[in-house]
Amino acid sequence: MKDKYSFADLVEITAKLRSPEGCPWDREQTFESLKKYLAEESQEVFDAVDHQDMENLCEELGDVLFQVMINSQIAQEKGAFTIDDVVDGVCRKMVRRHPHVFGDKKVYSAEEGTALWNYIKMQEKAEKP
């Protein structure tokens, strides 16, 4: 084991778990079979937040991240998208929906920021076919 693992290590570990040499349970998983685990892990995040348990919160966020990783690995195997696409997409969304941080818009309160976010989101939905 390493002293400290990276995101790149997590990508490799996830691929290995799904590989022919990997774990039978991980190889059998589908988007559908993983839904319940994402719900369970998300609830465990909520519980850790409610109890202000930072150690457990860190662990549970890792479990949610693994759900993102394994779903992304399955998508990659199907030729749909990769974890890099997921990261790129969320980065683009955060930059696009925060023009007051990454652009020249000005907001002076959390409420104004939320309103701007919702306005941009509504515009994006309207532009989709």
Side-chain angles (χ1 to χ4, degrees):
M1 293 196 43
K2 291 184 169 187
D3 287 336
K4 188 93 168 178
Y5 288 94
S6 69
F7 186 79
D9 292 324
L10 181 57
V11 172
E12 289 179 23
I13 289 165
T14 306
K16 178 74 171 178
L17 288 170
R18 292 272 306 167
S19 75
E21 302 81 33
C23 173
W25 184 90
D26 289 284
R27 283 196 313 266
E28 288 179 1
Q29 298 313 301
T30 65
F31 296 129
E32 294 77 16
S33 70
L34 289 168
K35 286 171 48 176
K36 65 183 171 199
Y37 299 109
L38 179 56
E40 287 172 10
E41 298 301 349
S42 296
Q43 184 58 56
E44 290 173 359
V45 167
F46 302 156
D47 293 343
V49 169
D50 290 346
H51 293 97
Q52 298 180 358
D53 183 346
M54 292 300 108
E55 184 177 334
N56 195 37
L57 178 59
C58 182
E59 179 181 341
E60 298 306 338
L61 287 172
D63 291 345
V64 169
L65 176 58
F66 184 72
Q67 290 302 310
V68 173
M69 299 302 298
I70 194 167
N71 274 281
S72 297
Q73 179 64 34
I74 293 167
Q76 180 175 331
E77 292 163 9
K78 293 178 176 294
F81 59 84
T82 68
I83 189 63
D84 289 336
D85 296 324
V86 173
V87 170
D88 180 66
V90 73
C91 288
R92 289 178 184 281
K93 181 187 290 185
M94 291 302 110
V95 170
R96 189 174 58 247
R97 292 194 186 169
H98 290 89
H100 54 291
V101 176
F102 300 103
D104 57 4
K105 293 276 188 193
K106 299 284 184 230
V107 299
Y108 300 97
S109 68
E111 293 78 15
E112 287 180 15
T114 300
L116 181 58
W117 172 282
N118 289 332
Y119 176 76
I120 294 167
K121 183 177 179 178
M122 186 177 61
Q123 283 184 317
E124 291 169 355
K125 298 286 183 198
E127 291 172 5
K128 286 192 176 179

PDB file of all heavy atoms in Angstrom, residues 12 65 115 126 128:
ATOM      1  N   GLU A  12      -7.234   3.968 -11.754  1.00  0.00           N
ATOM      2  CA  GLU A  12      -6.608   2.673 -12.039  1.00  0.00           C
ATOM      3  C   GLU A  12      -7.197   1.553 -11.182  1.00  0.00           C
ATOM      4  O   GLU A  12      -7.436   0.446 -11.675  1.00  0.00           O
ATOM      5  CB  GLU A  12      -5.098   2.757 -11.808  1.00  0.00           C
ATOM      6  CG  GLU A  12      -4.375   3.583 -12.834  1.00  0.00           C
ATOM      7  CD  GLU A  12      -2.878   3.676 -12.556  1.00  0.00           C
ATOM      8  OE1 GLU A  12      -2.329   2.792 -11.863  1.00  0.00           O
ATOM      9  OE2 GLU A  12      -2.258   4.642 -13.040  1.00  0.00           O
ATOM     10  N   LEU A  65     -17.874   8.981  -3.865  1.00  0.00           N
ATOM     11  CA  LEU A  65     -16.952   9.157  -4.989  1.00  0.00           C
ATOM     12  C   LEU A  65     -16.713   7.835  -5.704  1.00  0.00           C
ATOM     13  O   LEU A  65     -16.676   7.786  -6.935  1.00  0.00           O
ATOM     14  CB  LEU A  65     -15.624   9.742  -4.505  1.00  0.00           C
ATOM     15  CG  LEU A  65     -14.529   9.902  -5.563  1.00  0.00           C
ATOM     16  CD1 LEU A  65     -14.992  10.778  -6.723  1.00  0.00           C
ATOM     17  CD2 LEU A  65     -13.268  10.465  -4.914  1.00  0.00           C
ATOM     18  N   ALA A 115     -29.900  33.161  -7.544  1.00  0.00           N
ATOM     19  CA  ALA A 115     -30.792  33.607  -8.627  1.00  0.00           C
ATOM     20  C   ALA A 115     -30.074  33.540  -9.971  1.00  0.00           C
ATOM     21  O   ALA A 115     -30.649  33.094 -10.973  1.00  0.00           O
ATOM     22  CB  ALA A 115     -31.306  35.014  -8.346  1.00  0.00           C
ATOM     23  N   ALA A 126     -33.534  25.464 -21.649  1.00  0.00           N
ATOM     24  CA  ALA A 126     -34.291  25.954 -22.796  1.00  0.00           C
ATOM     25  C   ALA A 126     -33.550  25.705 -24.104  1.00  0.00           C
ATOM     26  O   ALA A 126     -34.168  25.530 -25.160  1.00  0.00           O
ATOM     27  CB  ALA A 126     -34.598  27.437 -22.632  1.00  0.00           C
ATOM     28  N   LYS A 128     -31.596  23.123 -24.733  1.00  0.00           N
ATOM     29  CA  LYS A 128     -31.504  21.686 -25.053  1.00  0.00           C
ATOM     30  C   LYS A 128     -32.689  21.283 -25.924  1.00  0.00           C
ATOM     31  O   LYS A 128     -33.796  21.735 -25.704  1.00  0.00           O
ATOM     32  CB  LYS A 128     -31.452  20.853 -23.790  1.00  0.00           C
ATOM     33  CG  LYS A 128     -30.119  20.924 -23.087  1.00  0.00           C
ATOM     34  CD  LYS A 128     -30.004  19.896 -22.025  1.00  0.00           C
ATOM     35  CE  LYS A 128     -28.616  19.943 -21.412  1.00  0.00           C
ATOM     36  NZ  LYS A 128     -28.436  18.988 -20.366  1.00  0.00           N
TER      37      LYS A 128
END
